[in-house]
Amino acid sequence: MTFPLNADLHCHSTTSDGTLTPEQLAARAAANGVDLWALTDHDEVGGQQQALEAARAQGMKYLTGVEISVTFADVTVHIVGLGFDHTDPRMTEGLADTRDGRGPRARAMAEQLAQVGIHGAYEGALKYVGNPRLISRTHFARYIVEIGVCADPHDVFRRYLAEGKPGFVPHSWARLSDAVRWITGAGGVAVIAHPGRYDFTPNEEFALFSEFKAHGGRGVEVVTGSHTVAEYARYADMAIEFDLLASRGSDFHDPSESHTDLGALPDLPGKVTPVWAALQDRILRP
Ligand code: AMP
Ligand code: MN
Ligand code: MN
Ligand code: MN
């Protein structure tokens, strides 16, 4: 396969907290020149069949994907899975358990928001939910923008939804070991998502990478929509230090909210090994 190729291995549809359907995303990715695509909805593989069929219809190569919410050292960490069997029962049951707490968490968030004067947030957020099995903070953010309390979702997170803010409800997600096992057990590769986004000390970050590898994790996102140019270099170095494959993905959610469009990313630094090099037999070809 030619390298570099335009791979976008991280984005979200209406099956989680994106605003485009898998078909709309596939069309947008193809129009933007994506050669290899993966839809990675949060804690949910319900969009995979649609996505792989839409990719085929657009003439794009496809890897199955997911982004699993994990609690590691009391911090929420995201683990992307690529190229797994999306019908694997241990994966689908594990994800169902991971999603389970989202409903009660959302009601608790709404109660806290009501105490600071934002009423009806649960019902308001529900209007933005595309999949009744998955209500996320992003849906709350869209509602709070709608009612004019904040200018954009980022402002909502900063003022209300981030840790320590009035609408934040602590939550226990999947264990790192479980998330990696579900992915590898279904034949896929586990990847640490956007490592630059976590507030870890260097020691904690070292622990995450070490434990992730020990559990069988094999990749790390190097070029993502939420990394700075300095972070591309830093995580390329980390990929080499930890002998991890490098991934690339926009983390696209919505045409107006997302800074980085599908496929609109710099190439991976030349010194890393792209994650798709290890997934050749898992790629679904049109
Ligand atoms: P949840 O899984 O319900 O905790 O929601 C997490 C999602 O919130 C992430 O996947 C992002 O889409 C979104 N998010 C987190 N932080 C921010 C932020 N600062 N600005 C905009 N969206 C954010
Ligand atoms: Mn999201
Ligand atoms: Mn994420
Ligand atoms: Mn994401």
Side-chain angles (χ1 to χ4, degrees):
M1 180 178 292
T2 54
F3 172 74
L5 95 175
N6 192 341
D8 192 328
L9 306 179
H10 189 150
C11 67
H12 300 273
S13 75
T14 45
T15 304
S16 63
D17 61 348
T19 60
L20 302 186
T21 63
E23 289 79 7
Q24 290 169 323
L25 287 169
R28 191 177 181 99
N32 288 357
V34 171
D35 305 301
L36 172 65
W37 178 51
L39 171 66
T40 56
D41 279 312
H42 297 284
D43 306 325
E44 172 66 275
V45 290
Q48 291 304 305
Q49 193 61 33
Q50 274 167 279
L52 69 89
E53 285 170 17
R56 186 178 299 134
Q58 295 288 346
M60 272 185 306
K61 300 184 184 83
Y62 188 76
L63 282 166
T64 55
V66 68
E67 181 176 20
I68 305 179
S69 310
V70 158
T71 301
F72 178 81
D74 290 331
V75 172
T76 300
V77 166
H78 288 170
I79 301 296
V80 162
L82 296 171
F84 53 90
D85 169 7
H86 65 286
T87 66
D88 181 89
R90 267 171 304 188
M91 165 73 87
T92 53
E93 286 160 23
L95 294 180
D97 288 345
T98 307
R99 287 192 303 268
D100 243 8
R102 282 185 177 270
R105 169 196 189 229
R107 290 189 182 278
M109 284 172 59
E111 279 172 30
Q112 288 187 198
L113 288 167
Q115 285 171 17
V116 294
I118 298 175
H119 298 281
Y122 180 76
E123 293 72 19
L126 272 187
K127 291 192 299 179
Y128 292 91
V129 169
N131 169 5
R133 303 190 296 196
L134 201 131
I135 182 163
S136 94
R137 285 186 291 164
T138 313
H139 302 116
F140 280 83
R142 292 186 183 131
Y143 173 67
I144 292 169
V145 171
E146 175 200 315
I147 61 175
V149 171
C150 292
D152 58 62
H154 190 73
D155 195 32
V156 183
F157 275 88
R158 196 176 54 79
R159 285 167 59 190
Y160 294 103
L161 303 182
E163 181 153 12
K165 300 298 172 178
F168 181 81
V169 173
H171 194 75
S172 230
W173 301 105
R175 279 196 293 250
L176 179 64
S177 55
D178 287 335
V180 174
R181 192 165 43 80
W182 300 334
I183 296 163
T184 56
V189 166
V191 174
I192 300 173
H194 44 63
R197 284 243 313 259
Y198 312 124
D199 284 330
F200 284 136
T201 64
N203 280 346
E204 288 167 340
E205 186 177 69
F206 186 89
L208 170 67
F209 276 65
S210 306
E211 289 191 33
F212 174 74
K213 272 221 72 159
H215 294 308
R218 291 179 63 198
V220 59
E221 284 185 346
V222 169
V223 173
T224 101
S226 52
H227 278 177
T228 62
V229 171
E231 285 167 338
Y232 301 157
R234 169 168 166 68
Y235 291 104
D237 288 345
M238 291 278 280
I240 286 165
E241 181 186 342
F242 282 87
D243 192 20
L244 290 168
L245 301 158
S247 193
R248 176 180 189 266
S250 57
D251 208 355
F252 180 83
H253 285 70
D254 171 80
S256 57
E257 289 171 15
S258 299
H259 310 293
T260 306
D261 205 340
L262 287 158
L265 295 156
D267 291 327
L268 287 172
K271 62 183 178 180
V272 298
T273 305
V275 67
W276 52 89
L279 285 165
Q280 288 303 308
D281 60 340
R282 311 295 303 183
I283 293 175
L284 303 165
R285 292 178 164 81

